[in-house]
Amino acid sequence: MGHLLNEPITAEHDPAGRLTAYRWRGSRYTVDEILKTYGSSQEALVYRVRINGEHGVAIAELSRDANRWRIRHVFPA
């Protein structure tokens, strides 16, 4: 079962603008793969990603509204 969080994060991108990592609660999580995107606008999307961080591998759901990012859910991998 996933954990509902809905907390702000700081997203990191490569020079091409692809999501590569994010920082949350003082830790950095690397985005290994974008599994799926949801949404009808380029300005407001939800990303389901496989992440790797200090607690191991997990699946996270991140939302973007313009330049504001939030972590919505974390699921065990």
Side-chain angles (χ1 to χ4, degrees), residues 18-46:
R18 290 181 295 255
L19 179 65
T20 57
Y22 65 90
R23 294 186 183 276
W24 173 58
R25 293 184 179 177
S27 296
R28 184 175 186 274
Y29 298 87
T30 302
V31 174
D32 292 334
E33 179 181 4
I34 296 176
L35 303 172
K36 191 166 191 172
T37 59
Y38 306 87
S40 59
S41 165
Q42 289 299 327
E43 291 298 311
L45 290 173
V46 175

Side-chain angles (χ1 to χ4, degrees), residues 8-76:
I9 61 171
T10 303
E12 298 178 14
H13 302 86
D14 67 9
R18 290 181 295 255
L19 179 65
T20 57
Y22 65 90
R23 294 186 183 276
W24 173 58
R25 293 184 179 177
S27 296
R28 184 175 186 274
Y29 298 87
T30 302
V31 174
D32 292 334
E33 179 181 4
I34 296 176
L35 303 172
K36 191 166 191 172
T37 59
Y38 306 87
S40 59
S41 165
Q42 289 299 327
E43 291 298 311
L45 290 173
V46 175
Y47 295 78
R48 185 161 288 182
V49 297
R50 182 183 328 272
I51 58 169
N52 198 340
E54 65 183 50
H55 299 293
V57 177
I59 305 296
E61 198 170 81
L62 311 175
S63 66
R64 177 178 62 98
D65 183 11
N67 289 329
R68 294 176 300 182
W69 285 83
R70 298 185 77 74
I71 184 166
R72 294 170 33 135
H73 295 88
V74 175
F75 304 93

